[in-house]
Amino acid sequence: MLQTVQAEALFLTADDPDPVGTINAEGGSPFFLTCEHAGRLVPVRLGDLGVATAEMDRHIAYDLGALALAERLSGLLDAPLIVQRYSRLVVDCNRPFEAPGCIPTVSDGTEVPRNQNISAQERRQRYAEIHQPFHNVIRDALDERNQRGVPGALVSVHSFTPCLSVSGSPRPWHLGALSNRDNRFARAFLNAFQQDNPGIVCAHNEPYKVSDQTDYTIPVHGERRGLPHILLEVRNDLIVDPQDQADWAERIAKALDTAEQSQL
């Protein structure tokens, strides 16, 4: 079951866009795509969060290139795609409610002044009005597919920065395939991808690892349902321009198809 938190009053205003976007809802593919960090919108009530515009252009605010990559994958695979429009600095839609990073006060060395010492009520409001609707749409769509007997594989699309400011250590990977309790689909994908792309540096569970404490989509929608699943991380400097995004989408789509044939 999804974690439900009740808001005490409306947080988003009539001037704020809906948090959730749905692309290719009727796609007939066995794949189901999500993009938790697609957007960098900030609700009107929060102003600019006290964060400089240049900082909002960084990976701390959203996953650079991830939305464009996910949209291309949706088209290539004919797969539904659910995207989150608000910045992860407002509320991170791939974090459980209790996680400190759900509403970060600092991200990769950058302070988020508007998130300092927020009330419990505001924390609940942000979660209930932005995080929960996103995951409710995912839940309902997966329920509907299940009722129709559509086989499924959950693919969560992300990007990562080549180097964190706080550590200064370069991240050599080009692509990461993440999983937790069930790594079968991630491993099948990696095997297929590496066979076709031997010059690309890939790894399982790099640069992050999935866990119940730090992640939401894979544990809740993938593991609990018993769906084949993977969280993809592509280094964001490799998907800057449209041609690179198209090339990566083609590589990933082909490997997903191969993995699907072996797993579903």
Side-chain angles (χ1 to χ4, degrees):
M1 295 178 63
L2 296 183
Q3 182 177 24
T4 301
V5 174
Q6 295 298 323
E8 298 181 17
L10 289 180
F11 180 69
L12 297 178
T13 70
D15 295 324
D16 290 313
D18 190 293
V20 189
T22 300
I23 296 167
N24 195 19
E26 303 303 320
S29 168
F31 296 105
F32 187 91
L33 309 178
T34 65
C35 193
E36 290 76 9
H37 303 145
R40 54 177 171 172
L41 295 177
V42 177
V44 171
R45 294 185 191 278
L46 298 183
D48 61 5
L49 292 170
V51 177
T53 300
E55 294 295 295
M56 293 297 293
D57 291 337
R58 294 179 61 220
H59 71 98
I60 64 171
Y62 73 118
D63 279 0
L64 285 74
L67 175 58
L69 177 63
E71 289 176 332
R72 288 186 179 274
L73 283 171
S74 173
L76 287 171
L77 298 168
D78 189 27
L81 167 63
I82 311 299
V83 305
Q84 168 55 236
R85 295 188 173 115
Y86 284 92
S87 172
R88 63 195 303 174
L89 297 181
V90 176
V91 58
D92 191 322
C93 287
N94 196 37
R95 299 285 183 272
F97 181 70
E98 300 84 0
C102 185
I103 299 179
T105 56
V106 179
S107 183
D108 193 20
T110 297
E111 292 190 359
V112 187
R114 183 59 179 79
N115 290 352
Q116 307 290 330
N117 302 313
I118 67 171
S119 67
Q121 176 181 338
E122 182 175 328
R123 186 179 180 86
R124 288 192 296 269
Q125 287 175 310
R126 294 196 202 182
Y127 190 90
E129 296 186 36
I130 296 175
H131 189 292
Q132 286 182 183
F134 176 69
H135 289 287
N136 288 344
V137 170
I138 295 172
R139 176 202 62 200
D140 293 346
L142 289 173
D143 284 348
E144 191 273 336
R145 285 165 64 88
N146 182 58
Q147 290 169 3
R148 290 191 287 117
V150 178
L154 176 64
V155 181
S156 178
V157 182
H158 295 252
S159 71
F160 67 97
T161 185
C163 182
L164 289 171
S165 297
V166 292
S167 68
S169 300
R171 293 155 135 184
W173 311 282
H174 301 147
L175 171 70
L178 281 57
S179 61
N180 184 20
R181 296 175 179 88
D182 182 355
N183 66 15
R184 289 174 295 175
F185 190 72
R187 291 291 189 185
F189 167 83
L190 273 178
N191 289 339
F193 190 93
Q194 289 178 316
Q195 285 181 7
D196 290 337
N197 306 279
I200 293 178
V201 182
C202 306
H204 181 241
N205 283 348
E206 295 290 358
Y208 306 106
K209 296 180 180 179
V210 173
S211 76
D212 294 339
Q213 291 73 42
T214 59
D215 293 78
Y216 195 95
T217 298
I218 294 301
V220 171
H221 301 294
E223 292 181 339
R224 292 185 191 176
R225 288 177 179 268
L227 293 177
H229 54 266
I230 186 172
L231 190 154
L232 291 174
E233 290 275 5
V234 181
R235 210 173 70 194
N236 63 30
D237 62 324
L238 303 176
I239 49 173
V240 173
D241 63 59
Q243 186 57 58
D244 287 338
Q245 293 158 1
D247 291 344
W248 272 93
E250 289 179 5
R251 295 186 193 108
I252 290 171
K254 183 178 179 183
L256 286 172
D257 277 331
T258 301
E260 182 262 334
Q261 293 299 320
S262 69
Q263 295 289 303
L264 294 184

